[in-house]
Amino acid sequence: MAAEPTPAVALVVAVDVSQSVDEARFMLQMEGIAAALEDPEVVATMTGRPGGTLFAMVTWADRASIALNWRRIAHRSDALAVAAQVRATPRQSGEFTCLGQMFRTVAASVIPAMPVPARRIVVDVSGDGIDNCTDPKNLEAERNALLATEATINGLPILVPGENDVVGAGAYRSPGYGLRATPLPQERTDLAQWYRDHVLGGPGAFLLAAAGYGDFSRALRRKFVMEVSDAGDHAGR
């Protein structure tokens, strides 16, 4: 029997489930991912090439957990099955936003577990805050280690008016983080810019923000299509 074709893309969806993400926000994210996987345009994009698309999901807060190990989406039925599994994902408890820990888990545990190689690896990071438990130098090192796997890291910051309009000085931090400077310039910045500076990386990396949790599903559907179709290569930073 002939071997299955090589997937064009392996997509890791990394979802923030820290303290700022209450039950309602968690459900909006899971429903948004599931709805995206059921969207006809997304399904057509993921299944339209030989080999389909590899899909995995990581949830992260104090630590990162593999919520859904690798699945191949080669047919509509595959996408619907993965959507159902996403909806059934239990909420992971966590207080802090440990982005560096997530980078490390994806590089050390998720990518090496790919069942077959893919032509491109894309890590899709969404969240509503900056890292607040990793030393700035270590955060950069963890991102570089993930980029060394030849992955591209894209960002989907969730912009919540009145909560994360400005990030940086006075940011909530975990015990042990102490009074070290946050990984930012001296001036404050916005979350989208922080993602550009500290999350994005790799060939064709791009950012697409959600205007609050209610906009997450729309933003994610568009982002999936761009990531899997290569349109992200033209999106810019």
Side-chain angles (χ1 to χ4, degrees):
M1 185 169 59
E4 290 189 81
T6 300
V9 178
L11 178 62
V12 182
V13 178
V15 188
D16 176 9
V17 293
S18 58
Q19 187 179 56
S20 59
V21 181
D22 59 18
E23 183 67 27
R25 289 178 171 182
F26 176 78
M27 294 306 297
L28 281 170
Q29 289 183 100
M30 294 302 105
E31 178 59 33
I33 296 166
L37 291 168
E38 294 168 341
D39 180 80
E41 185 180 9
V42 173
V43 172
T45 303
M46 287 189 167
T47 63
R49 296 183 183 184
T53 301
L54 291 179
F55 181 94
M57 185 171 73
V58 172
T59 53
W60 55 280
D62 301 354
R63 58 184 178 83
S65 297
I66 302 173
L68 192 63
N69 217 329
W70 290 107
R71 304 288 191 273
R72 186 192 289 259
I73 299 176
H75 306 282
R76 180 174 180 273
S77 58
D78 299 331
L80 299 184
V82 174
Q85 292 172 323
V86 169
R87 283 195 176 94
T89 300
R91 185 182 176 199
Q92 172 188 332
S93 61
E95 185 174 2
F96 302 105
T97 309
C98 299
L99 189 68
Q101 171 66 32
M102 182 273 289
F103 286 158
R104 185 182 317 126
T105 297
V106 173
S109 300
V110 180
I111 292 175
M114 287 170 54
V116 294
R119 294 188 179 90
R120 289 190 299 125
I121 302 171
V122 176
V123 181
D124 188 334
V125 180
S126 62
D128 66 5
I130 68 173
D131 187 291
N132 57 15
C133 64
T134 310
D135 180 276
K137 290 183 179 179
N138 290 340
L139 178 62
E140 186 71 12
E142 297 292 0
R143 181 177 69 165
N144 288 342
L146 177 52
L147 293 174
T149 68
E150 300 186 351
T152 291
I153 309 172
N154 294 332
L156 198 163
I158 303 170
L159 309 180
V160 184
E163 288 189 20
N164 59 12
D165 310 271
V166 177
V167 297
Y172 182 54
R173 307 180 210 188
S174 71
Y177 200 90
L179 298 177
R180 300 169 184 157
T182 50
L184 295 164
Q186 289 301 310
E187 69 274 9
R188 296 181 177 192
T189 187
D190 60 54
L191 183 62
Q193 186 59 50
W194 191 87
Y195 261 61
R196 289 187 183 95
D197 293 341
H198 301 282
V199 175
L200 299 194
F206 71 98
L207 178 143
L208 197 160
Y213 280 87
D215 187 45
F216 179 81
S217 182
R218 176 210 63 83
L220 194 67
R221 286 196 303 272
R222 183 182 172 205
K223 199 154 178 278
F224 278 179
V225 170
M226 294 171 71
E227 288 169 330
V228 178
S229 68
D230 281 335
D233 293 346
H234 309 290
R237 289 183 54 158

